[in-house]
Every structure is written in structure tokens, then in C-alpha cells.
Amino acid sequence: MRVLHSITSMQKISKEFQRQGKIIGFVPTMGYFHQGHLSLMLQARKDTDKVVVSIFVNPIQFGPKEDFKRYPRDLKRDLKMVKDIGVDIVFCPKEEEMYPEGYKTYVRVKELEDRLCGRFRPGHFQGVCTVVLKLFNIVMPHIAYFGQKDAQQAIIIKRMVKDLNIPVKIKVMPIVRESDGLAMSSRNTYLNKKEREDAVILYRGLQLAKELVKSGINDSAYIIERVKKFILPKITKIDYIEIVDYKNLLPLKKIEKEGLLALAVWIGKTRLIDNIILRNKKNI
Ligand code: AMP
């Protein structure tokens, strides 16, 4: 496993892989790995010849009052965690090289970027799309792996790839959870013991929604209300709980076939997101 920091050395190696006819799998991350990250790498290992993982806490996807400074970073720990996975390259670009003085170019996916998390994190998805496109141009992967945990992100990246004819296949992998159901996230390290215990309510809320749909209820407003009431005692604030169409992220009044229930809530000073795909089996 090689650790690279410079953009030109990464591009050079990727070109060499391409010349040798190797299939490159790519997992972009912000580091501080957990099993969710590792699941993407393992899938890449299965599908491709060369696995490249990037670690970059991307400043332009954080708002001025967000947690960019305190986001957990520990390269030594990350390298130890992936040493037996079969990762070929860990690419950790420097901020100054990614965004040198005079940097001016940004990518936006209109409308989709304004929904769900976009309403509360203006500029976030512009930052994500910009860095992902830059990383695609540097790593030149055949397949890139993203997690369903960030469902809106995956939908937006897929749209960007389609709209800009980027020659990469996007694979979205299921949410990896702790044994009690909490979706794994680097930000879970912010939670104290009590908050960590309370956080399991999110998963239980999603399960409640699933049960309601299973029992024949398909009215989104009713389901959302029930989930809200259920989780409120354990959380500090709700940014949103919505049931939306998977393709355009617009609210669905009724779940005819499928709906994405996505939520973002605060537990103390920590913002957590989670989601579930609700399926109305009657109509599928
Ligand atoms: P991050 O380092 O948080 O930017 O995440 C890097 C990639 O890992 C993104 O594609 C995330 O969606 C994915 N990811 C994060 N948490 C999970 C999880 N619990 N299960 C599956 N994928 C995840």
C-alpha cells in the first residue's frame, strides 16, 4: 500500500494503471475510518484490480459555522485500519494543492443541491461535487463507491456524472450500522455516552416508519408525524424529516411504490443524518 500526497504523482500512477489495462476502483472519504468506509473498500477490492482511497477533509463543503476544524483526523489510525483490506493507494492531497490561490471553479447540480440537507447547509453540495469531480480527474477511476448513508450525495453525484458525461460508474453501497442500529459515522465520536445511547432512537424511528408502511399506511404526512413524535424526546432539534421521491428528492404525498425517508437531527451539538427506503409491497 502506497501513501501519496501530490496530485501529479497520483495522476502518474493512475495513468500507468490505465496503460496496463487495470480497472481502477475509487473510494473518496474524509478519513477517520469505520466499517462503513471499509465496506466500500472491500467492494472495490472485489470488483476492481487497483483500489485507490482518498482522504481529504474538504474545506469547501463545510459552512463557516460548521465542524471543519474539529472534524476527526488521524492518518496513522486510518492506515492501520486499512492495511489488511488490500488497498493499493491512499491518496491524501494537501489543501493548498487542491485549492491554490486564485482557485475559481465550482460545480453545481441545480435544484437537487437545494433539497433536504441543502436547505440547512447552503453550498455543501457544491463543495462536494467540486471535490469529487477534481478527484475523478486526478484518480481517473472506472468505478467509484459511495455510501447510501449519504443518500442525497449519492443521487447528486450520479446526476453530475450523467450530466457531464464523466466516464465513471457509480456504485452505491448499503448503510453499515452499529449493533444497536446507529448508522456508522465519523461524527459519532462527538457524542458523549448519554447522547450515544439516545442516538439509537433514529434507527428505531426509521424502523417504526417501515412497520407503518408494512401495515398498509402510505400517507407520508402521517408517517412523518409518528416518527417525529417518537424521536423527539431523545433529540435536541430536527432539521428535517421528509419522505421524498428517490429520483428528484421532491416530497411524496403518498408512498405508491417507493419513498426515501431521510432525516437530519441534532443530538446536543452533533448533527446526524440517516435514511431508509420505504417500499409499499402492495404496489411493487
Ligand atoms: P465520509 O468520510 O463521511 O465523507 O464518507 C465517505 C464515504 O463513505 C461516503 O460515500 C459515505 O456515504 C460513505 N459512508 C459513510 N458512512 C457510511 C455508513 N455507515 N455506511 C456506508 N457508507 C458510509
Side-chain angles (χ1 to χ4, degrees), residues 82-144:
V82 299
K83 78 174 182 354
D84 299 323
I85 301 264
V87 171
D88 296 282
I89 312 270
V90 178
F91 174 51
C92 317
K94 296 222 159 45
E95 203 181 310
E96 316 84 82
E97 215 194 341
M98 288 295 271
Y99 304 112
E101 228 184 277
Y103 188 89
K104 289 278 182 256
T105 309
Y106 298 88
V107 185
R108 290 184 51 189
V109 176
K110 281 165 75 174
E111 294 167 18
L112 294 181
E113 68 177 7
D114 300 324
R115 297 183 184 140
L116 302 175
C117 280
R119 278 201 287 133
F120 300 87
R121 305 187 69 189
H124 170 68
F125 290 108
Q126 170 177 302
V128 169
C129 288
T130 302
V131 81
V132 168
L133 181 56
K134 281 172 70 71
L135 290 167
F136 283 172
N137 285 331
I138 296 165
V139 175
M140 297 175 265
H142 298 85
I143 313 178

